Amino acid sequence: MLNETELHDVLGSTAYGADGSKVGKVGQVFVDDETGRPEFATVNTGLFGTSESFVPLADATFDGERLIVPFSKEQVKEAPSVELDGEHLDQAEERRLYDYYRMPYSEALSDSGLPDSGRTETAAPDAGLPTGTAGTDTSRSAGDDVTGPTTDEAMTRAEEHLDVGVRSEEAGRIRLRKYVVTEQETVTVPVRKERATLEREPITDANRDDALAGPAISEGEHEVVLHEERPAVGTTAEPVERVRLGTESTTEEETVTGDVRKEQIEVEGDADQRPEK
């Protein structure tokens, strides 16, 4: 368990799980009213740290920069939400948290689970020490604690603001796929065909020798071979275009909503309101 002297350094530090994974930033520390020892811490988890989970500090250690808790990041992130009674963590909520983390719960004095419902106090990240009777360092001089009871003349009011960033993640995949389809294509091509013709010519001086070259009377035959062209169909593959995938970026605006805490200061009693300096 942590001690009171480590409280300042723990506030705002980063919590890590037993496996070394980063859990989140420490937001608040709850101390025991009787012993003043840190008992619970809140860790900001989730997107941009918008969720706050409670984690016990009974077995936690601090190495000067990192708070090491004996739980996994998922276990802390899924811890039950807690309703605070003001700035106190009541006994029922404590029991629920200890049951969730499977830790023994005791109702002995100065131990976890004290019957007094107001047994724990919170320490804000900007505070010097926990408020309340437990954990207050009476040796501090006036003005060192900018928000606590030892302030000399003024109180500091703090506000939280959303720290919004962006991260790149895969939104989808697009791929090119080439496949073959069969289509019918019609092409007109001219073809030549031969046909037989019968010609008769009289015997003249020009063809008399050819006509009388054979016997005067005989039988015979003459044959002519006819030719024609037919379409010959084949295919030839040739490139027609190049297709590629590329990316282009566009910028859009998205609205992010989160809860932020703001401290308010009010006056109890009569006081004149003066303009800001």
Side-chain angles (χ1 to χ4, degrees), residues 130-149:
T131 60
T133 59
T136 300
D137 187 354
T138 57
S139 64
R140 297 174 61 83
S141 61
D144 288 345
D145 187 353
V146 295
T147 61

Side-chain angles (χ1 to χ4, degrees), residues 255-276:
T255 301
V256 179
T257 303
D259 295 330
V260 296
R261 297 176 300 172
K262 299 182 179 181
E263 296 177 343
Q264 301 293 336
I265 299 176
E266 62 181 14
V267 178
E268 294 183 357
D270 295 332
D272 294 334
Q273 183 72 30
R274 294 185 178 182
E276 295 181 1

Side-chain angles (χ1 to χ4, degrees), residues 92-105:
E93 296 291 4
E94 285 185 359
R95 180 184 295 274
R96 193 155 65 99
L97 287 171
Y98 273 92
D99 289 344
Y100 170 76
Y101 285 103
R102 297 182 179 180
M103 298 180 62
Y105 184 80

Side-chain angles (χ1 to χ4, degrees), residues 207-218:
N207 59 17
R208 180 178 297 277
D209 293 338
D210 293 333
L212 299 178
I217 299 295
S218 65

Side-chain angles (χ1 to χ4, degrees), residues 96-264:
R96 193 155 65 99
L97 287 171
Y98 273 92
D99 289 344
Y100 170 76
Y101 285 103
R102 297 182 179 180
M103 298 180 62
Y105 184 80
S106 172
E107 294 186 357
L109 292 177
S110 299
D111 197 357
S112 181
L114 186 66
D116 181 8
S117 62
R119 59 180 304 277
T120 55
E121 296 282 352
T122 62
D126 296 328
L129 280 175
T131 60
T133 59
T136 300
D137 187 354
T138 57
S139 64
R140 297 174 61 83
S141 61
D144 288 345
D145 187 353
V146 295
T147 61
T150 60
T151 302
D152 48 4
E153 294 180 352
M155 299 179 70
T156 299
R157 187 177 69 86
E159 294 183 357
E160 292 181 341
H161 298 280
L162 290 180
D163 295 326
V164 181
V166 296
R167 70 166 181 257
S168 178
E169 61 181 26
E170 184 176 307
R173 295 193 179 190
I174 299 176
R175 62 171 56 91
L176 288 177
R177 183 172 63 90
K178 184 171 68 172
Y179 59 95
V180 177
V181 297
T182 301
E183 298 178 351
Q184 283 191 341
E185 186 174 307
T186 301
V187 178
T188 301
V189 57
V191 294
R192 295 184 305 168
K193 296 183 178 182
E194 294 179 344
R195 60 186 183 87
T197 60
L198 182 61
E199 298 179 1
R200 297 176 184 272
E201 59 183 23
I203 302 300
T204 63
D205 292 338
N207 59 17
R208 180 178 297 277
D209 293 338
D210 293 333
L212 299 178
I217 299 295
S218 65
E219 293 182 352
E221 60 182 27
H222 181 70
E223 183 179 86
V224 174
V225 179
L226 301 177
H227 296 84
E228 65 178 25
E229 294 178 339
R230 297 183 182 274
V233 180
T235 59
T236 301
E238 60 182 17
V240 293
E241 66 176 348
R242 298 277 291 168
V243 180
R244 65 169 53 89
L245 276 177
T247 61
E248 62 179 14
S249 298
T250 60
T251 301
E252 300 178 354
E253 291 188 352
E254 292 190 6
T255 301
V256 179
T257 303
D259 295 330
V260 296
R261 297 176 300 172
K262 299 182 179 181
E263 296 177 343
Q264 301 293 336

Side-chain angles (χ1 to χ4, degrees), residues 40 42 59 65 68 74 85 121 135-136 165 171-172 228 230 268:
F40 285 96
T42 62
D59 298 323
E65 295 181 355
I68 312 298
E74 286 301 319
D85 181 11
E121 296 282 352
T136 300
E228 65 178 25
R230 297 183 182 274
E268 294 183 357

